[in-house]
Amino acid sequence: MPQAALALTADRRRSTGEPHQALHALLTDTGQPLAIPAARHPEQAQLEAALFLACCRLGGLSQHSLGIVHVRPQEDQLTLRLHAEPYIVHHWADFLLPRLNTDGSDPRDRITGVPGLRYRREGSNICLHRPGMPARIVLTGFNPRWWERIAHRFTTDHYDMLQHEPDWTPAERADHTATVTSPFEPAPLFSPLLRRIRATAGPGPVNSTDAWSSIGGFRLETIDGPPCPDLIRLLGDGPTGLGWEVDHKRCTCLCDHTHADVGCGIDFREPSTGELVYYSNTKWGRTLDDRRREAIAEMNRAAFA
C-alpha cells in the first residue's frame, strides 16, 4: 500500500475509524489529505447533534466512545457502525427513541430522547430519520432484530413512546423549536464532532465521551482521552479538522503524573460563532478488568429482558 496514499487518509482514519481500503477510492489527484464532509442540510446536522448529545450518557464500558466503532460521513447521510453488543444497542434505543415526559415544564424537558426521531429497518441496518426532513442516520454492525426486540419491549412497557406516530407531535415540535432557536444551538458544534468521534478516543481499552450545555458554552469531557496535541490537531487546524482554536490550555500530557485527579483542560473556541467548548480529560486510567467484564455480561443478559 503506497505510503503517500496512507498519509493522505491518516487523519480521516484517526477521526472516523474508517479503513484505508474504503477511503482510497475517494482520493483525488490533488495530493491533498482526504477531507471529512459536513452535513449538507441544517436538518441533517440538527439530527446528528441531537443524537450525539443523547448518546453521550452511555459512559465508558468498551474501547469505543459512545459504542461507535467507525463513522462513514456523507453530505446527506451519516452511517455509524456500532460495537456489536446487545447492551450497546439497548442503550442507544433507550436514549434515542422519543417518549413523553409529563413532568417537564420547559419544552425541552417534555420529550425524553430525540424529538421527532423515527426508525425503520432497511435490510441489515436501522435507519433513523425525522418525518418530512432531509435527515438520515444509518446504524449498522449489529443484528437489526436486536433493535426491533428492544424497541418492541419499550413500546410495551412505556405507553408514551412516539415511534408509531406518523408525524411530529406538538410536544416534539416545541422541543425541537426551542433547541434550534436557543442561543446555544448545538448543531454547528456537535454534528461535525460526531463525524469525528473517534478523535476523542484514547489508546486505552475503555473510552467514554460526554458533552452537555453549560453557561456560556458547552462542555466536552473524556475520561481517558487522547494526548492533547493529537486532539488539537484533529479538531483544530489539522487537514481534516474543525478549525477550533485553542483559547486556553492546561495540559499534563507530557508530565509524569499518574494520579487520577490530574487531568488536562483545553478551552476551544469555534471561530465563526465565538462559541466556547470547555474540554477536559480526567485521565482515570481505567482498565477492562474482571468487574467491568462481569458488568457487560450482566447488561447483555438484561438487554432483552
Side-chain angles (χ1 to χ4, degrees):
M1 208 173 279
Q3 292 301 311
L6 282 170
L8 294 178
T9 65
D11 275 1
R12 175 158 169 174
R13 283 186 282 116
R14 176 64 181 86
S15 294
T16 67
E18 296 167 283
H20 175 76
Q21 292 87 342
L23 297 176
H24 186 270
L26 302 178
L27 290 173
T28 64
D29 57 4
T30 63
Q32 296 298 312
L34 190 61
I36 297 174
R40 177 186 303 166
H41 302 290
E43 294 86 354
Q44 178 73 29
Q46 291 160 7
L47 178 58
E48 292 173 13
L51 179 147
F52 173 78
L53 291 171
C55 284
C56 276
R57 293 178 292 159
L58 179 66
L61 291 170
S62 79
Q63 68 184 102
H64 308 292
S65 295
L66 279 64
I68 299 173
V69 177
H70 70 68
V71 178
R72 180 69 167 178
Q74 299 167 276
E75 290 184 347
D76 55 356
Q77 176 177 297
L78 185 65
T79 301
L80 304 175
R81 185 175 187 86
L82 301 188
H83 187 41
E85 294 270 16
Y87 82 92
I88 295 285
V89 178
H90 178 278
H91 282 325
W92 271 63
D94 191 20
F95 295 155
L96 295 183
L97 295 178
R99 53 186 178 266
L100 287 173
N101 175 22
T102 56
D103 296 331
S105 55
D106 187 286
R108 288 166 290 186
D109 297 329
R110 295 298 310 280
I111 297 295
T112 300
V114 175
L117 185 74
R118 305 292 186 263
Y119 77 85
R120 60 177 176 265
R121 179 172 172 176
E122 295 183 349
S124 61
N125 302 324
I126 297 296
C127 176
L128 307 178
H129 62 99
R130 279 170 158 167
M133 287 190 171
R136 177 182 169 91
I137 296 176
V138 175
L139 305 183
T140 189
F142 58 91
N143 189 332
R145 290 194 295 272
W146 294 357
W147 181 281
E148 293 174 327
R149 287 178 59 187
I150 292 165
H152 176 73
R153 197 197 82 188
F154 288 160
T155 302
T156 302
D157 294 346
H158 302 285
Y159 296 102
D160 291 326
M161 298 291 292
L162 302 175
Q163 161 61 25
H164 297 294
E165 294 289 336
D167 201 353
W168 294 67
T169 64
E172 289 176 297
R173 284 286 188 191
D175 184 316
H176 178 64
T177 300
T179 298
V180 300
T181 59
S182 70
F184 303 108
E185 205 273 301
L189 291 174
F190 291 132
S191 166
L193 186 58
L194 178 61
R195 289 170 171 249
R196 296 162 173 81
I197 189 61
R198 298 294 306 177
T200 67
V206 181
N207 278 287
S208 63
T209 300
D210 195 2
W212 63 94
S213 60
S214 180
I215 296 175
F218 288 93
R219 294 204 171 269
L220 176 67
E221 180 181 88
T222 57
I223 302 302
D224 291 294
C228 288
D230 291 348
L231 188 71
I232 291 171
R233 186 186 81 256
L234 294 171
L235 300 187
D237 58 4
T240 61
L242 296 172
W244 289 4
E245 300 171 347
V246 175
D247 192 70
H248 178 73
K249 179 175 68 168
R250 179 179 63 84
C251 178
T252 63
C253 284
L254 301 180
C255 77
D256 58 1
H257 292 293
T258 58
H259 303 293
D261 60 347
V262 175
C264 296
I266 305 172
D267 297 345
F268 288 105
R269 183 182 299 276
E270 204 289 314
S272 66
T273 64
E275 294 274 16
L276 288 171
V277 178
Y278 303 101
Y279 167 75
S280 60
N281 178 6
T282 57
K283 294 188 174 182
W284 284 9
R286 294 172 303 176
T287 60
L288 192 59
D289 54 19
D290 289 342
R291 181 178 178 183
R292 200 172 299 276
R293 292 188 183 94
E294 291 171 3
I296 291 172
E298 178 57 34
M299 286 189 294
N300 280 337
R301 286 191 293 270
F304 305 115

